[in-house]
């Protein structure tokens, strides 16, 4: 059984005549420790698929099963706990909390765990060290560059060492040099055993993954294996 | 990092909104504090003045005898021949639970005498108590300073054809008129006032009193409770509240309280709406953050806690500043509303109550916005990114 399974999942928005089908019916299996890129044009349904995979958007039909657990059979609270323990999110446009400094932003997922404050700081500094930003821990997000903000977002996503990392256009707002650094960082995390599911419209970035799937018109196009899993 | 760090940091970032929130709630709290405190102080002042204005409890011997009025007020069963109250029993008045509310105790003894072929009623009183009780008395002359002096009511002086410094024979004693009362419109106009111990001796009632008038401060103690306590202390006496006086005082106080409660409720409602609207708009502005919190695994309860924590912090500040401002406003209002500034007493319950009130109001007004934030669909929230 695959680590992540998308079983005939689809998503409609709206009612009656206004109903729009964003994802028609998708079957997808993702193995533990793999790095998969989901590509597609704008409006193809790739972000909707990622939201469903991340427990953020309930599918209209079908199931999303992770570690044998049907995500959407969980209560709202259990689903929040599952996201906290199993998933890290890297959002488009960084999405750091502007009034928290870099260290506090990275600590955020730990704020609602059993970790003591000392542990939280230690783990957050360790995550920042991984992305090379330990020395900027006390700066506010608006006091660092866009590339650095993206790296802070990555540190926040991995601080509690979740098995799965979801990244939605992680380089969408970065120049090519910063994009390349971020992609190398994701590759490194994957090589350390993290399962990564990334949505991108950039073929170049998608090729950092070992596998690319394309979504078009709400359907999955033949998966393309690129390289062997690490 | 704790959730409170998020709440504090957010408030620090949104200084203008926090200032607006605190000011809105503070105005509500300070208005309530000012109203309540002003009303309380004015009510106390009025109650004190009214309490000073004559007796509100009368103690007479239990009797089936004739009814008599005194000062236009019914004294219940009273007869000249009835058994008097023993004076030493009056010490029990000071032993009742609410003895602190008893301000003046004025015992009296009555006796009839004849002078210039006219019968008149003499009253033995303790002049210190009587003068304290009847502040409206205006004496043409002065009050008696020795056993050989009497004070005459206006009518009795005219009927007996007596003037200040003239002499009057009562029983076998000759008295000098030390002063004559200006007309009072009451029974006092027909009475001759002499010192209590001498009256007791003259009328053969040593150690006895015929009636006791009491002025009690009844603002914080129901008059009926005082009457019950006095009745238990003096089982042989009949204790009566002067209902019209008591009810008048209570009506005045209740009217003040009702007015301030009504206005306070209105102001609090407006204050609550200010908090509600501001918190609701704050939640809407923070949709993106709430989406992030949700996505990274914050439970709905965690999000509610952050919003409510912010409401508590803001309300706490508003409560403290509101109380201080309210007291300041009261200070100003009292000099405006009253010719003489009444004693400004601070009630610690109002201080603590205003802070609690602000917090409870803040929590109630923020509950729906917090619920709305907690119920926000994380994906919907993230779509606003």
């Amino acid at each position: 059984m695959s680590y992540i399974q998308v079983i005939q999942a689809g998503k409609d928005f709206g009612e009656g005549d206004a109903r729009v089908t964003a994802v028609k019916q998708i079957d997808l299996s993702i193995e533990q420790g793999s790095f998969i890129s989901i590509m597609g044009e704008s409006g193809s349904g790739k972000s909707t698929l990622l939201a469903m995979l991340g427990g953020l958007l309930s599918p209209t039909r079908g199931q999303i099963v992770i570690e044998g657990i049907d995500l959407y059979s969980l209560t709202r609270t259990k689903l929040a706990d599952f996201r906290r323990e199993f998933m890290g999110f890297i959002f488009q446009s960084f999405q750091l909390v502007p009034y928290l400094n870099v260290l506090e932003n990275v600590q955020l997922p730990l704020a609602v765990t059993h970790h003591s404050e000392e542990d939280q700081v230690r783990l957050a500094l360790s995550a920042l060290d991984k992305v090379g930003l330990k020395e900027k821990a006390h700066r506010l997000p608006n006091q660092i560059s866009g590339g650095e903000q993206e790296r802070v977002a990555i540190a926040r996503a991995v601080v509690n060492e979740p098995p799965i990392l979801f990244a939605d256009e992680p380089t969408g707002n970065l120049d090519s040099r910063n994009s390349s650094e971020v992609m190398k960082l994701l590759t490194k995390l994957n090589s350390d055993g993290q399962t990564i599911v990334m949505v991108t419209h950039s073929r170049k970035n998608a090729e950092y993954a070992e596998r690319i799937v394309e979504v078009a018109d709400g359907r999955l196009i033949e998966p393309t294996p690129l390289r062997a899993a690490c | 990092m704790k959730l409170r760090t998020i709440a504090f940091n957010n408030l620090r970032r949104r200084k203008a909104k926090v200032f607006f929130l605190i000011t809105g709630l503070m105005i509500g709290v300070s208005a309530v504090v000012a109203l309540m405190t002003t009303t309380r102080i004015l009510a106390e002042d009025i109650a004190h003045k009214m309490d000073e204005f004559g007796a509100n409890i009368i103690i007479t011997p239990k009797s089936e005898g004739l009814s008599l009025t005194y000062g236009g007020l019914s004294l219940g069963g009273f007869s000249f021949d009835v058994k008097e109250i023993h004076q030493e029993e009056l010490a029990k008045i000071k032993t009742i639970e609410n003895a602190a509310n008893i301000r003046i105790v004025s015992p009296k003894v009555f006796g009839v005498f004849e002078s210039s072929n006219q019968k008149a009623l003499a009253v033995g009183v303790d002049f210190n108590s009587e003068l304290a009780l009847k502040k409206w008395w205006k004496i043409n002359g002065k009050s008696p300073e020795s056993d050989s002096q009497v004070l005459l009511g206006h009518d009795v002086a005219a009927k007996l054809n007596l003037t200040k410094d003239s002499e009057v024979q009562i029983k076998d004693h000759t008295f000098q008129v030390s002063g004559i009362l200006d007309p009072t419109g009451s029974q006092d106009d027909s009475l001759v006032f002499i010192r209590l111990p001498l009256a007791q001796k003259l009328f053969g009632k040593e150690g006895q009193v015929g009636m006791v008038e009491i002025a009690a401060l009844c603002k914080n103690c129901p008059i009926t409770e005082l009457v019950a306590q006095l009745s238990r202390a003096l089982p042989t006496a009949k204790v009566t509240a002067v209902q019209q006086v008591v009810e008048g005082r209570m009506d005045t106080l209740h009217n003040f309280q009702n007015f301030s409660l009504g206005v306070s409720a209105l102001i609090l409602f407006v204050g609550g709406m200010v908090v509600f609207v501001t918190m609701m708009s704050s939640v809407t502005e923070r949709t993106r953050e709430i989406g992030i919190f949700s996505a990274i695994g914050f439970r709905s309860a965690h999000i509610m806690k952050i919003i409510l924590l912010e409401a508590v912090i803001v309300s706490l500040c508003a409560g403290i500043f509101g109380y201080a401002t309210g007291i300041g406003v009261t200070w100003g209002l009292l000099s405006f509303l009253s010719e003489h500034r009444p004693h400004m007493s601070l009630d610690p319950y109002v201080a603590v109550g205003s802070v609690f009130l602000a917090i409870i109001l803040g929590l109630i007004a923020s509950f729906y916005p917090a619920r709305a934030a907690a119920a926000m669909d994380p994906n919907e929230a993230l779509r606003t990114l």
Side-chain angles (χ1 to χ4, degrees), chain A residues 13-220:
Chain A
F13 292 105
E15 296 284 330
D17 291 344
R19 176 180 285 243
V20 175
T21 300
V23 174
K24 284 177 179 159
Q25 189 165 303
I26 284 181
D27 286 287
L28 178 66
S29 295
I30 301 170
E31 299 307 320
Q32 190 165 18
S34 62
F35 185 171
I36 179 170
S37 289
I38 300 172
M39 283 195 68
E41 298 292 319
S42 189
S44 61
K46 59 186 187 303
S47 288
T48 302
L49 175 61
L50 189 78
M52 289 195 293
L53 282 167
L56 298 172
L57 182 64
S58 169
T60 311
R61 56 199 159 268
Q63 286 177 294
I64 308 291
V65 179
I66 297 179
E67 277 217 337
I69 295 168
D70 180 0
L71 276 196
Y72 295 97
S73 67
L74 298 175
T75 62
R76 191 180 166 97
T77 300
K78 293 273 182 200
L79 188 55
D81 293 346
F82 190 90
R83 278 199 299 269
R84 187 171 64 247
E85 287 171 29
F86 285 83
M87 301 169 180
F89 288 90
I90 302 167
F91 303 105
Q92 203 171 0
S93 311
F94 330 129
Q95 304 314 333
L96 301 180
V97 180
Y99 53 86
L100 299 178
N101 66 27
V102 164
L103 182 66
E104 288 166 340
N105 262 289
V106 177
Q107 272 180 261
L108 258 184
L110 304 172
V112 289
T113 61
H114 63 279
H115 291 290
S116 68
E117 265 187 84
E118 291 77 20
D119 275 354
Q120 286 183 28
V121 172
R122 186 178 51 76
L123 289 168
L125 285 173
S126 165
L128 280 172
D129 196 29
K130 279 184 196 168
V131 297
L133 283 173
K134 195 175 175 182
E135 73 285 358
K136 295 189 176 175
H138 297 287
R139 296 215 185 155
L140 286 171
N142 63 6
Q143 293 169 330
I144 57 177
S145 70
E148 287 170 333
Q149 287 186 49
E150 190 63 41
R151 280 147 65 194
V152 173
I154 293 171
R156 182 179 66 189
V158 300
V159 70
N160 55 344
E161 298 178 337
I164 310 163
L165 199 56
F166 293 107
D168 188 4
E169 301 277 10
T171 60
N173 291 300
L174 300 180
D175 58 26
S176 58
R177 188 177 63 83
N178 279 310
S179 290
S180 168
E181 275 184 26
V182 166
M183 291 315 303
K184 280 176 186 164
L185 200 53
L186 291 179
T187 309
K188 169 78 171 56
L189 288 168
N190 176 241
S191 67
D192 291 342
Q194 199 126 35
T195 305
I196 298 177
V197 180
M198 178 178 75
V199 161
T200 182
H201 64 270
S202 157
R203 168 64 62 177
K204 187 181 167 192
N205 287 338
E207 285 176 355
Y208 279 90
E210 66 198 34
R211 179 181 168 202
I212 297 173
V213 293
E214 284 196 38
V215 180
D217 197 22
R219 289 181 193 282
L220 208 62

Side-chain angles (χ1 to χ4, degrees), chain B residues 7 95 154 240 247 266:
Chain B
T95 66
H154 181 268
T240 315
E247 282 172 11
L266 189 68

Side-chain angles (χ1 to χ4, degrees), chain B residues 342-364:
Chain B
H343 173 64
M344 176 102 177
S345 60
L346 297 183
D347 185 347
Y349 289 111
V350 173
V352 175
S354 57
V355 174
F356 270 101
L357 179 72
I359 291 175
I360 288 167
L361 186 66
L363 281 175
I364 291 173

